[in-house]
Amino acid sequence: MTEKPKGQLVCVGPGMILGAHITERCRNYIQRADVVYVSCHHAVEEWLATLNPDTISLQNLYAEGKHRRETYNQMHQTIMQSVREGKKVVGCFYGHPGVFAQVPHWVINTAREEGYKAHMEPGISAEDCLYADMGIDPGRFGCQHFEASQLLFYRRTLDPSAYLILWQIALAGDRSIAKRVSSVEERQQLVDILLNDYPADHKVAVYECPFIMVEKPRIEWFPLSELSTYELNPVSTLVIPPATKMQPR
Amino acid sequence: MSAIAILEKLGADPDADVRDLTNEEHAALMQKIQAFKEINAALIITEPDDSEPDEEDKPSEPSDNDDDKA
């Protein structure tokens, strides 16, 4: 009988805010791991290292101008190497490990294909915090979520009677996969598409979840027409409230 | 208590308050927060047109057993 490989992998998320969101189960996985690979805010990574000294940051694999897919490949290889060495491995990724993070899904699939035990544990994501901080119930009018660049690269059907949440808005339109923030011109293309369904003066909000409790969420409202020049950073999310009423059938 | 331990306590304990810190703790905390602000952490993201792993990203076909799922 073939013996099942010994290594195992769990991808977990510590939530968004240091110390506030981590589940007991996630903490236990981290503390009992042979090695913990982390991709989180530096503060959270430093904290996770207090839970398990065998914590290794994946941040050094990123570099300005480096193709992000190369970074993801290296993350994948690094994590899999430890699994293949028979270690109990935890991958710990900012917020929820499976939301807007492709490496955890990818590495879990690979580990399973190679016969290792691998699974994901949910964490509190930016989406969860957004609903709480902005007082939005996605069930009230409905809520569409898109990766912002997908609106530029693909035909997507918008429903302006529902909330529209655009993730990774700071990178909207970037095809280089090497930048941290897209250009005004790239973002203006997104604005032009949104203007098909929303008026130029429609109020939208940029939302950012803090990563430590002493800071407040960033919630700033401005007209849609100002989006191309508005200050954004890689963790910004755009929230567009409904512009029309739901139409009865 | 280290600055990281203070941040953990502030996150986990709803009654914890920055105003209850000693002057030394408060100074250490502010210094740490400032240091974190100067680090521009890159966070793993999803590519809008990613092809890796392409086929595996497709939602699985619903099976007969999925009929009664919400």
Side-chain angles (χ1 to χ4, degrees), chain B:
Chain B
M1 194 159 37
S2 72
I4 287 292
I6 293 168
L7 285 170
E8 181 180 17
K9 185 174 170 61
L10 289 169
D13 180 355
D15 293 329
D17 194 315
V18 176
R19 288 169 295 190
D20 295 333
L21 299 175
T22 64
N23 288 341
E24 290 76 18
E25 286 173 333
H26 190 269
L29 179 64
M30 292 304 124
Q31 191 177 9
K32 196 71 172 172
I33 290 171
Q34 187 55 40
F36 287 141
K37 284 180 178 172
E38 289 165 11
I39 300 169
N40 201 4
L43 297 168
I44 195 162
I45 62 170
T46 298
E47 302 305 340
D49 57 351
D50 213 304
S51 56
E52 302 174 326
D54 51 2
E55 295 302 305
E56 291 159 13
D57 274 350
K58 288 183 181 173
S60 55
E61 294 293 323
S63 70
D64 293 343
N65 296 333
D66 291 336
D67 288 350
D68 54 355
K69 285 182 184 169

Side-chain angles (χ1 to χ4, degrees), chain A residues 218-234:
Chain A
R218 179 186 177 198
I219 302 171
E220 294 173 9
W221 291 91
F222 58 93
L224 174 60
S225 57
E226 293 178 14
L227 175 61
S228 61
T229 54
Y230 208 81
E231 185 189 339
L232 300 174
N233 72 62

Side-chain angles (χ1 to χ4, degrees), chain A:
Chain A
M1 195 173 79
T2 312
E3 198 176 326
K4 205 169 171 70
K6 198 173 157 217
Q8 56 182 272
L9 170 67
V10 184
C11 288
V12 303
M16 301 300 292
I17 299 181
L18 191 159
H21 294 162
I22 192 168
T23 64
E24 195 63 27
R25 190 173 176 84
C26 172
R27 183 188 289 265
N28 284 330
Y29 271 120
I30 290 168
Q31 289 177 327
R32 295 170 191 177
D34 294 324
V35 59
V36 183
Y37 290 105
V38 294
S39 179
C40 300
H41 276 289
H42 192 76
V44 177
E45 293 192 353
E46 197 170 320
W47 166 55
L48 293 172
T50 68
L51 304 182
N52 187 326
D54 293 310
T55 292
I56 299 170
S57 175
L58 296 168
Q59 282 292 326
N60 61 344
L61 298 177
Y62 285 101
E64 187 76 37
K66 179 179 176 182
H67 203 292
R68 287 197 295 271
R69 287 204 183 102
E70 188 187 340
T71 298
Y72 304 154
N73 273 328
Q74 290 171 341
M75 289 180 174
H76 177 271
Q77 287 167 11
T78 302
I79 293 169
M80 276 311 301
Q81 186 178 330
S82 290
V83 174
R84 290 172 187 135
E85 287 169 359
K87 292 179 178 167
K88 208 187 288 182
V89 181
V90 165
C92 188
F93 299 86
Y94 177 62
H96 185 304
V99 178
F100 285 89
Q102 64 190 118
V103 171
H105 289 293
W106 184 19
V107 75
I108 284 173
N109 284 340
T110 304
R112 284 176 176 168
E113 281 169 8
E114 294 184 14
Y116 299 101
K117 273 176 67 178
H119 78 281
M120 181 179 287
E121 293 284 338
I124 291 181
S125 69
E127 179 187 350
D128 301 314
C129 297
L130 184 154
Y131 294 142
D133 291 335
M134 297 190 70
I136 293 173
D137 178 353
R140 190 166 179 214
F141 301 112
C143 195
Q144 287 185 305
H145 294 259
F146 291 108
E147 198 285 334
S149 290
Q150 285 191 353
L151 286 188
L152 284 164
F153 302 163
Y154 302 99
R155 293 182 191 280
R156 308 306 303 254
T157 304
L158 299 185
D159 175 0
S161 67
Y163 278 95
L164 176 61
I165 315 285
L166 297 181
W167 299 92
Q168 300 179 172
I169 187 70
L171 284 162
D174 169 42
R175 287 182 185 272
S176 72
I177 318 198
K179 293 184 198 166
R180 291 172 66 90
V181 178
S182 55
S183 68
V184 171
E185 292 74 22
E186 287 166 330
R187 235 185 278 164
Q188 185 57 44
Q189 291 175 32
L190 176 65
V191 173
D192 292 342
I193 288 170
L194 291 170
L195 288 176
N196 291 325
D197 291 288
Y198 299 91
D201 62 352
H202 189 61
K203 287 287 174 56
V204 301
V206 62
Y207 171 77
E208 291 172 16
C209 185
F211 61 95
I212 49 178
M213 194 52 90
V214 291
E215 297 201 328
K216 301 275 183 233
R218 179 186 177 198
I219 302 171
E220 294 173 9
W221 291 91
F222 58 93
L224 174 60
S225 57
E226 293 178 14
L227 175 61
S228 61
T229 54
Y230 208 81
E231 185 189 339
L232 300 174
N233 72 62
V235 296
S236 300
T237 299
L238 189 72
V239 178
I240 306 181
T244 61
K245 291 189 172 170
M246 290 188 284
Q247 299 299 309
R249 283 195 188 280

